[in-house]
Amino acid sequence: MSNILELENINYVYGVGTPFEKRAVDNVSVSIKKGEFVGIMGHTGSGKSTLVQMLNGLIKPTSGRVLFDGADIWENPKEIRKIRFKVGMVFQYPEYQLFEETVYKDIAFGAINMGKSSDELDRAVRKAAEFSGLKPELLTKSPFDLSGGEKRRAAIAGVIAMDPDVLVLDEPTAGLDPMGRDVLLSQIVQYHNKRKNTVLLVSHSMEDIARVADRIIVMNKSRLVMYDETKKIFSRGSELEKIGLRVPQITKIMLTLKERGYDISDGILTVDDALAEISSLLKKEGKIW
Amino acid sequence: MVRDVAFGQFFPGKSLIHRLDPRAKLIMLVAFLVIIFCTFTYPSLLIVILFTVMFILLSGVPAKFYFKSLKVIIFIVIITSVLNMFYGTGTPLFEWGILKITLDGINRAIFVSIRIVCLILASSCLTFTTSPTDLTDAIERLMKPLGKIHFPVHEIAMMMSLALRFVPTLLEETDKITQAQKARGADMESGNIFHRVKAFIPILVPLFVSAFRRAYDLATAMECRCYRGGFGRTRMKVIHMSKRDVLSFAAMGLVICGVIICNILLPAVL
Ligand SMILES: Nc1ncnc2c1ncn2[C@@H]1O[C@H](COP(=O)(O)OP(=O)(O)OP(=O)(O)O)[C@@H](O)[C@H]1O
Ligand SMILES: [Mg+2]
């Protein structure tokens, strides 16, 4: 599979030339394959949001190149809007961007900016609403009358309606109840499976990332410290803990068991996997049949 | 980004000027501004310049930032001094057609530009070394006598400090909303003026919504802590005059006397 996004030696410095200069992204190079689900994790302030905002040209790297489908997105700055339709971006607190009279119109905003024709538009909006789990009867309401979770979904739908090739979500589940998080996350996974597009998910929840990501980028203090398959990342539990990250609880239990000398494979991420692993281990030792 | 705009920047520090009572600083600034415009001889201008250099050095804020604050007004300074140069009276030194430069004109230009520069430097010194809260606090205390004639001093001071407090927050929020709308393809850079004004709606609406939400939240939070206006309200940080302030008043007094004496003893150049 080919790379859809490539970052080459990206640096980003906030407030250049002021006493508050801050290097938020330090020499990051990474390639993202088409159709992958990539998780991004890192401590607060490690540069995740800054990094993803460079993927669709919202901010321009201080130095380095961003390639989309092999072409430098900043080659022609006038065309940068086109990239924003291809790389859709949902912000950390997306509910602050709602402004239209109705939810329907708000979801349509991006698609209208793209210049979609009207029946195409209607289909895109309704499908996006469905994908993000927004009930059809909410479409005629004012976005300001929605609950927090519904606002979040409406904002996500607004980006999905543009049908981007790459969907970037910056902590889409922050501040939602546990049930809401699970539902939203599985809807994103469903969308990914159906649409077969590339998804980048920034999250603080290791459980969430462990469940959905194929690969994980780990950021620490503005640098990219790991980029590997999910299982391999979580088998490096002690390294993660050193940079203030936690592995999922179940992974930690399994790693501890392994340290105690049990024959358990690396990177167990879900309770189901753990159950299978433990029962096969018990079978092997003849404790159960 | 919007956030890069410098707005009444405050540089926390522990210099002599930082530690002065904000009321004293405010009074001295007003006195100094008056005295700047009462300089009519070169020696008195020199006194003013020396005093300005002195408090800039004492403030401990890098000179770079004072230059930055001058950058904004450098054009005004140049234009007014050039205009003044041609408006002098007396025998011309140079003449090109209707334009003539006289000694008087040159004097005027020098005085005007130095006065404006000192004025900006002195005001910057106040905002650089005094936090916005201290400043509004000082204004409230100084205006207190107006309360006797039912002027809502406390309310106005409270509004000022709240407004100052929320300027950076709102700028930051404008930034975030702009980014989010740009991500949905909002186009703010092209099109005619009508188009561009319309393009701001997606930013203004969320901004207002969030400003109102903040205002309600703040009001609730203040009520929960039993805020009920200024009457009988005591302060956590009571500002008071100390020996430092008295000494600086004395220094200010010397400057004023110096300027006045120069004005009396020497012939005015303007
Ligand atoms: N607009 C800005 N101006 C100046 N500094 C900034 C700005 N935005 C972020 N920073 C700084 O850059 C660093 C990286 O910030 P960033 O928002 O990318 O972190 P993050 O990994 O997304 O954190 P979080 O998990 O809290 O969202 C932080 O130290 C932050 O203080
Ligand atoms: Mg972030």
Side-chain angles (χ1 to χ4, degrees):
Chain A
M1 263 190 290
S2 60
N3 292 330
I4 188 156
L5 274 171
E6 277 163 273
L7 300 184
E8 291 179 353
N9 306 90
I10 292 285
N11 283 283
Y12 192 84
V13 183
Y14 281 110
V16 180
T18 70
F20 313 107
E21 221 176 80
K22 162 93 201 168
R23 184 172 291 266
V25 172
D26 191 355
N27 203 19
V28 168
S29 300
V30 71
S31 346
I32 289 164
K33 288 206 185 79
K34 206 170 251 171
E36 264 189 336
F37 199 124
V38 178
I40 302 179
M41 54 193 212
H43 206 260
T44 284
S46 56
K48 306 180 296 291
S49 298
T50 310
L51 183 72
V52 294
Q53 281 179 58
M54 285 187 279
L55 299 178
N56 66 345
L58 279 175
I59 54 180
K60 192 175 174 180
T62 313
S63 70
R65 297 204 303 162
V66 183
L67 306 181
F68 179 87
D69 260 344
D72 188 343
I73 67 169
W74 285 103
E75 196 149 22
N76 187 355
K78 290 224 172 79
E79 299 289 296
I80 198 74
R81 264 181 82 210
K82 291 207 177 120
I83 295 298
R84 299 201 180 131
F85 297 129
K86 289 183 187 145
V87 182
M89 162 105 200
V90 179
F91 272 78
Q92 201 158 354
Y93 291 98
E95 50 269 35
Y96 295 151
Q97 72 194 41
L98 304 172
F99 73 100
E100 283 282 13
E101 295 149 63
T102 66
V103 174
Y104 182 95
K105 277 191 185 171
D106 211 289
I107 297 178
F109 179 68
I112 292 175
N113 284 333
M114 279 175 90
K116 283 202 174 175
S117 70
S118 61
D119 49 325
E120 216 184 345
L121 183 73
D122 188 65
R123 213 164 346 111
V125 170
R126 291 187 190 280
K127 216 160 148 196
E130 192 193 314
F131 263 138
S132 52
L134 208 61
K135 294 191 205 83
E137 63 264 29
L138 292 179
L139 289 177
T140 50
K141 270 188 146 180
S142 156
F144 303 110
D145 293 341
L146 300 182
S147 77
E150 289 163 346
K151 279 184 189 163
R152 187 70 58 89
R153 287 163 199 276
I156 295 175
V159 174
I160 291 183
M162 303 193 307
D163 197 20
D165 295 331
V166 181
L167 179 65
V168 184
L169 300 140
D170 196 350
E171 300 196 32
T173 55
L176 293 184
D177 61 293
M179 196 47 191
R181 296 171 78 112
D182 283 354
V183 175
L184 186 59
L185 206 64
S186 48
Q187 251 135 6
I188 293 169
V189 172
Q190 256 178 40
Y191 170 68
H192 168 70
N193 289 339
K194 259 195 203 160
R195 173 67 174 75
K196 301 262 178 279
N197 63 353
T198 314
V199 177
L200 274 87
L201 174 77
V202 178
S203 178
H204 275 139
S205 159
M206 304 302 141
E207 271 80 11
D208 286 0
I209 289 208
R211 229 172 62 201
V212 300
D214 301 326
R215 274 170 175 276
I216 295 181
I217 293 175
V218 181
M219 298 282 295
N220 184 38
K221 297 194 181 136
S222 316
R223 286 167 181 276
L224 184 146
V225 287
M226 300 181 200
Y227 178 42
D228 212 335
E229 280 163 29
T230 306
K231 285 201 169 166
K232 290 193 182 141
I233 294 278
F234 282 121
S235 62
R236 293 159 77 176
S238 57
E239 278 172 75
L240 288 173
E241 263 162 28
K242 248 180 235 145
I243 57 174
L245 295 174
R246 218 168 31 80
V247 295
Q249 259 170 13
I250 192 68
T251 312
K252 181 144 193 198
I253 291 173
M254 300 307 274
L255 283 175
T256 316
L257 282 177
K258 191 177 173 196
E259 270 163 32
R260 300 245 172 117
Y262 291 97
D263 177 26
I264 283 172
S265 56
D266 270 341
I268 301 286
L269 304 174
T270 61
V271 178
D272 290 342
D273 288 354
L275 184 65
E277 187 78 11
I278 291 179
S279 51
S280 81
L281 189 70
L282 289 175
K283 257 182 221 150
K284 236 190 288 170
E285 294 189 357
K287 301 249 167 68
I288 55 171
W289 292 271
Chain B
M1 282 198 203
V2 208
R3 228 183 300 183
D4 295 339
V5 184
F7 181 88
Q9 269 181 7
F10 166 56
F11 294 87
K14 291 218 175 313
S15 76
L16 175 67
I17 311 242
H18 278 92
R19 282 178 298 162
L20 288 181
D21 184 320
R23 286 172 297 176
K25 280 192 264 189
L26 207 57
I27 294 172
M28 283 193 283
L29 176 68
V30 175
F32 189 60
L33 295 189
V34 173
I35 210 67
I36 286 176
F37 284 89
C38 295
T39 49
F40 298 112
T41 64
Y42 277 106
S44 53
L45 199 60
L46 191 66
I47 294 178
V48 165
I49 294 174
L50 287 180
F51 191 65
T52 312
V53 172
M54 190 187 80
F55 62 67
I56 286 181
L57 291 180
L58 280 179
S59 74
V61 176
K64 188 165 89 180
F65 296 103
Y66 285 99
F67 283 118
K68 252 192 186 157
S69 67
L70 285 180
K71 228 163 131 188
V72 192
I73 53 121
I74 198 73
F75 281 108
I76 304 178
V77 173
I78 291 174
I79 290 170
T80 45
S81 49
V82 166
L83 282 179
N84 268 286
M85 203 137 68
F86 294 114
Y87 272 103
T89 51
T91 46
L93 296 177
F94 307 101
E95 258 190 281
W96 297 284
I98 49 162
L99 295 178
K100 48 178 191 278
I101 296 182
T102 63
L103 189 62
D104 179 51
I106 292 176
N107 281 335
R108 270 170 198 270
I110 291 174
F111 271 85
V112 165
S113 47
I114 289 183
R115 279 172 180 173
I116 301 180
V117 168
C118 287
L119 179 148
I120 296 297
L121 291 178
S123 325
S124 308
C125 182
L126 179 73
T127 53
F128 285 171
T129 61
T130 319
S131 75
T133 23
D134 280 352
L135 205 56
T136 42
D137 207 13
I139 293 173
E140 179 179 355
R141 299 278 293 265
L142 287 174
M143 293 202 309
K144 210 164 184 180
L146 288 179
K148 293 245 157 52
I149 55 167
H150 298 295
F151 185 78
V153 176
H154 173 77
E155 282 70 16
I156 289 189
M158 180 55 96
M159 282 192 264
M160 261 170 64
S161 51
L162 288 182
L164 284 174
R165 157 66 185 79
F166 280 101
V167 166
T169 313
L170 286 182
L171 285 179
E172 197 174 308
E173 212 147 76
T174 314
D175 241 17
K176 280 197 182 139
I177 296 171
T178 312
Q179 297 286 65
Q181 303 299 30
K182 273 191 186 162
R184 291 202 285 169
D187 182 11
M188 253 126 352
E189 275 104 37
S190 57
N192 57 24
I193 183 106
F194 185 71
H195 197 93
R196 280 189 202 201
V197 171
K198 225 179 114 191
F200 270 105
I201 294 175
I203 292 167
L204 286 182
V205 173
L207 191 62
F208 271 101
V209 169
S210 105
F212 276 108
R213 200 196 59 242
R214 271 180 205 289
Y216 282 124
D217 287 355
L218 186 70
T220 314
M222 283 167 84
E223 260 172 30
C224 288
R225 289 187 245 170
C226 303
Y227 176 81
R228 52 187 170 76
F231 182 73
R233 188 175 163 78
T234 53
R235 290 168 186 286
M236 185 166 98
K237 243 175 41 189
V238 182
I239 44 178
H240 33 220
M241 301 269 176
S242 62
K243 220 161 91 188
R244 280 195 288 277
D245 302 297
V246 178
L247 283 177
S248 49
F249 273 127
M252 191 74 222
L254 279 180
V255 170
I256 295 175
C257 292
V259 170
I260 293 175
I261 290 172
C262 289
N263 280 342
I264 296 173
L265 293 185
L266 300 167
V269 277
L270 285 194

